[in-house]
Amino acid sequence: QVQLIESGGGLVQAGGSLRLSCAASGRTFSSYVMGWFRQAPGKERESVATITRPGGRTSYPDSVKGRFTISRDNAKNTLYLQMNSLKPEDTAVYYCAATSQYYTDSWREYDYWGQGTQVTVSS
C-alpha cells in the first residue's frame, strides 16, 4: 500500500499559479503510475494529469493542456502539479492517486487516494 498526502491548494486570482505536492509513504513510490484528478461540486471526478512510473510520459486533457505540468521525484517520493494561468473553472478539490496497474487516465483504475486539497480560483 501507499499513503498519499496532498498540499499546496488555496485561493488564487484568475491568471495566477499554484503548485500542488503529493507526498507518498509506504510501498515504493516509483512502482506506481500516478495521477492528479479533480472534482467540482455536482460534477464527476476527472483526470487532470497522469504520469508513468519513470516519469517519461505524461497525459493531459485539453482543458488544462499547456497550463498544467505534472512531474515526479522518485528519490523524494513526491508528485507535483504546477498549475499556471488558472481559470475559475479550475476550481475543485484536487486529489493525487496511485495505481499499480497499467498506465491510464481513468480515475476508476486508481487504487490509492489522498484526502484532497481545495483549489479556488476567483474571477
Side-chain angles (χ1 to χ4, degrees), residues 8-20 67-68 81-87 119-121:
L11 174 63
V12 64
Q13 288 188 333
S17 298
L18 281 175
R19 189 193 195 201
L20 304 184
R67 301 189 296 122
F68 290 10
L81 183 68
Q82 179 67 44
M83 304 186 294
N84 299 327
S85 302
L86 282 161
K87 305 175 180 180
V119 172
T120 303
V121 184

Side-chain angles (χ1 to χ4, degrees), residues 38 40 43 46 67 87-92 94 121:
R38 67 186 180 188
K43 294 189 176 182
E46 62 176 352
R67 301 189 296 122
K87 305 175 180 180
E89 50 264 43
D90 294 318
T91 295
Y94 283 70
V121 184

Side-chain angles (χ1 to χ4, degrees), residues 37 46-50 59-61 102-108 110:
F37 302 84
E46 62 176 352
S47 172
V48 173
T50 53
S59 180
Y60 307 90
Y102 51 87
Y103 181 57
T104 175
D105 60 5
S106 171
W107 64 268
R108 293 176 177 84
Y110 283 72

Side-chain angles (χ1 to χ4, degrees), residues 5 10 37 39 58 67 73 75 80 84 89 95 100 103 109 115 118:
I5 300 177
F37 302 84
Q39 189 164 21
T58 58
R67 301 189 296 122
D73 186 335
Y80 303 100
N84 299 327
E89 50 264 43
Y95 300 89
S100 56
Y103 181 57
E109 303 299 329
Q115 81 287 353
Q118 177 70 46

Side-chain angles (χ1 to χ4, degrees), residues 61-73:
D62 289 342
S63 58
V64 308
K65 196 172 293 182
R67 301 189 296 122
F68 290 10
T69 303
I70 188 172
S71 62
R72 66 190 298 166
D73 186 335

